[in-house]
Amino acid sequence: DAANYVFLALIGIITLLPFIYVIAGSFANEAEITRRAFFVWPEQFTLGSYEYIFSTPAFTRALVTTILVTAVGTLVQLAFTVTMAYPLAKKTLRGRQVILSLVVFAMVFSGGMIPTFLLVKDLGLLNSYWALILPAAINPFSLIIIKNFFQELPAELEESAKMDGATEIGILWRILLPLSKPVLATFALFYAVGIWNDFMSPLLYLSDNSKWTLQMYLRQVTA
């Protein structure tokens, strides 16, 4: 056990080093960053980078925009994925195999950048925050995992709920979702990280710099 603890602690420290370097570099000047390949403590402490970032309201606006888009996008993606996975988890659904085949096809073959851009344009979503959310509202892989999770839940729970007069929405909201908190929390994290780190969608769909996300703003700063 002691050897395992030491080994895992070393691995943890190694994974933290890049983050420590980034934080240390933010307090160092440009000359030191160019001269030193790696350091965890700057020789000359400076707040020049932070003063430059906060010198205009653009950074705060981009940060707030990214937080809101991430929060709304995560909720939308979870809602769309769950409401599609729930009926597909029922083997009595008509056309279930056809829909699942289309989901698998969409997971293997994507539309591509240009067709997706033309679709977003025709829908009137260009230069809109919805262009960052709706095109990726359902992830096929996540949909299949959540569907399989719903299928593994005991069918007796739904049967007893129907005997008590519960509707399909009531069963989903009051029984299945509380039991699915672990898988929903996992995919909520995946969705949030994906939206937060998304760079191509704002680059393609947002032409108004006042609507830029944090990634677009950082691109301008580092350019």
Side-chain angles (χ1 to χ4, degrees):
D1 289 342
N4 288 335
Y5 292 149
V6 172
F7 175 74
L8 293 176
L10 291 176
I11 296 297
I13 293 174
I14 292 174
T15 58
L16 288 176
L17 286 178
F19 297 98
I20 297 175
Y21 171 70
V22 171
I23 296 174
S26 67
F27 293 105
N29 54 41
E30 184 177 355
E32 183 177 358
I33 296 176
T34 305
R35 177 171 50 86
R36 301 176 65 186
F38 178 82
F39 57 91
V40 296
W41 190 263
E43 295 177 349
Q44 184 177 357
F45 188 86
T46 177
L47 295 176
S49 300
Y50 292 94
E51 293 175 356
Y52 175 77
I53 288 292
F54 289 102
S55 60
T56 62
F59 172 77
T60 304
R61 182 173 61 245
L63 178 61
V64 173
T65 298
T66 305
I67 293 175
L68 293 178
V69 169
T70 301
V72 175
T74 302
L75 292 177
V76 169
Q77 290 185 355
L78 277 179
F80 276 46
T81 304
V82 168
T83 51
M84 186 174 180
Y86 175 62
L88 289 178
K90 299 181 177 298
K91 297 182 179 180
T92 57
L93 178 68
R94 293 183 179 180
R96 176 174 177 268
Q97 292 300 327
V98 176
I99 298 175
L100 288 176
S101 299
L102 294 175
V103 170
V104 174
F105 182 86
M107 182 173 61
V108 178
F109 303 99
S110 63
M113 181 186 300
I114 296 178
T116 304
F117 178 84
L118 294 177
L119 176 62
V120 171
K121 179 182 178 182
D122 292 339
L123 292 175
L125 298 178
L126 284 182
N127 206 30
S128 169
Y129 294 133
W130 290 111
L132 311 180
I133 299 173
L134 293 182
I138 297 180
N139 182 278
F141 176 78
S142 304
L143 173 66
I144 293 175
I145 297 299
I146 295 178
K147 176 194 74 71
N148 292 337
F149 183 85
F150 285 159
Q151 288 182 182
E152 296 298 327
L153 295 176
E156 291 77 11
L157 294 175
E158 296 187 33
E159 295 174 358
S160 60
K162 290 180 179 179
M163 293 179 61
D164 293 335
T167 62
E168 295 290 348
I169 297 178
I171 294 173
L172 175 63
W173 182 258
R174 297 182 179 181
I175 298 178
L176 296 187
L177 290 185
L179 295 176
S180 307
K181 289 180 180 179
V183 68
L184 295 180
T186 301
F187 283 102
L189 180 61
F190 288 163
Y191 285 148
V193 172
I195 298 173
W196 181 276
N197 292 330
D198 188 15
F199 172 75
M200 289 302 300
S201 296
L203 180 64
L204 292 174
Y205 306 134
L206 298 182
S207 57
D208 187 356
N209 56 10
S210 63
K211 296 182 178 180
W212 279 357
T213 59
L214 188 61
Q215 289 70 28
M216 291 296 295
Y217 176 77
L218 293 177
R219 171 179 173 268
Q220 182 189 26
V221 170
T222 57

